[in-house]
Amino acid sequence: MVKYSYFGHACFLLDDGKYKVLVDPFLTGNPVASVSANDVAADYILVTHAHGDHLGDAPDIAARTGAEVVGIPEILDICTSMGTDVKGHGMNLGGSLNLPFGKVRMTLAQHSSGVPGGIACGYVIYIGGLVIYYAGDTALFSDMKLIGQKDRLDYALLPIGDNYTMGLEDAALAAQWLGVRHVIPLHYDTWPIIRQDVAKYKELTEKMAHAEVHIVKPGEDIELA
Ligand code: NI
Ligand code: MN
């Protein structure tokens, strides 16, 4: 059993009862954040790209908690250049990293990176016997089919806000292409520009894909199984 806690925008925590994996911790300045960067716990921090709404508080949280930051080397360089003393593990697209809770694999994302020479990514996270795909910020791309072919995905965490990422229809098609069992939408309703009708997304996706959509509000958590 893995607990999914949603802190708003694209920030969430996976907790297998022993290890806490914090992802894209944008909390300071996040209008819907349900927790403060000073209070959140983490053993590992996964970062998908250097935009402020993803890298966010990662350096500060890592410095306070001792959590290891995982990301592309250019992201770790940013953390280092901020003068914070953080543990980091650099990796790149297609690579896997074994960690005490399981494994993470860095996947392609179609999005700008927010750092010169960088790329944006997503992650497949193997934790608590589950395979969880977090797409990061991305457009719909056909290689999502390969991600779903390589692993039987239990959950996909998909951006649906449009403008910066996929919108409702593309994110519903993504669920179909991934062949995933469960979908949790995120990266919407943070600001007016990415306001979305999430109920409509659920209806559309459950019609187009064999997936159940779980709507989780900032501050809520659910058990993944
Ligand atoms: Ni972005
Ligand atoms: Mn974003």
Side-chain angles (χ1 to χ4, degrees), residues 116-165:
I119 45 158
C121 73
Y123 289 97
V124 177
I125 305 162
Y126 306 76
I127 184 170
L130 296 172
V131 185
I132 301 165
Y133 169 54
Y134 167 47
D137 279 5
T138 189
L140 178 68
F141 57 96
S142 59
D143 279 4
M144 283 182 180
K145 291 177 185 172
L146 299 181
I147 295 171
Q149 267 173 23
K150 179 162 165 49
D151 289 297
R152 194 182 186 294
L153 301 176
D154 297 300
Y155 285 81
L157 314 179
L158 302 176
I160 68 161
D162 217 332
N163 194 77
Y164 304 113
T165 67

Side-chain angles (χ1 to χ4, degrees), residues 49 51 53-54 111-112 137:
H49 62 295
H51 288 152
D53 62 321
H54 295 262
H111 187 76
S112 65
D137 279 5

Side-chain angles (χ1 to χ4, degrees), residues 47-50 55 69 71-80 113 115:
V47 180
T48 58
H49 62 295
L55 178 60
V69 180
I72 61 167
E74 290 82 356
I75 296 242
L76 302 180
D77 288 346
I78 293 177
C79 296
T80 308
S113 69
V115 59

Side-chain angles (χ1 to χ4, degrees), residues 85-133:
D85 182 24
V86 305
K87 276 188 294 181
H89 183 95
M91 56 190 302
N92 224 307
L93 295 182
S96 293
L97 170 66
N98 289 313
L99 289 168
F101 60 83
K103 190 170 77 168
V104 297
R105 184 158 56 84
M106 191 177 266
T107 60
L108 186 69
Q110 294 290 358
H111 187 76
S112 65
S113 69
V115 59
I119 45 158
C121 73
Y123 289 97
V124 177
I125 305 162
Y126 306 76
I127 184 170
L130 296 172
V131 185
I132 301 165
Y133 169 54

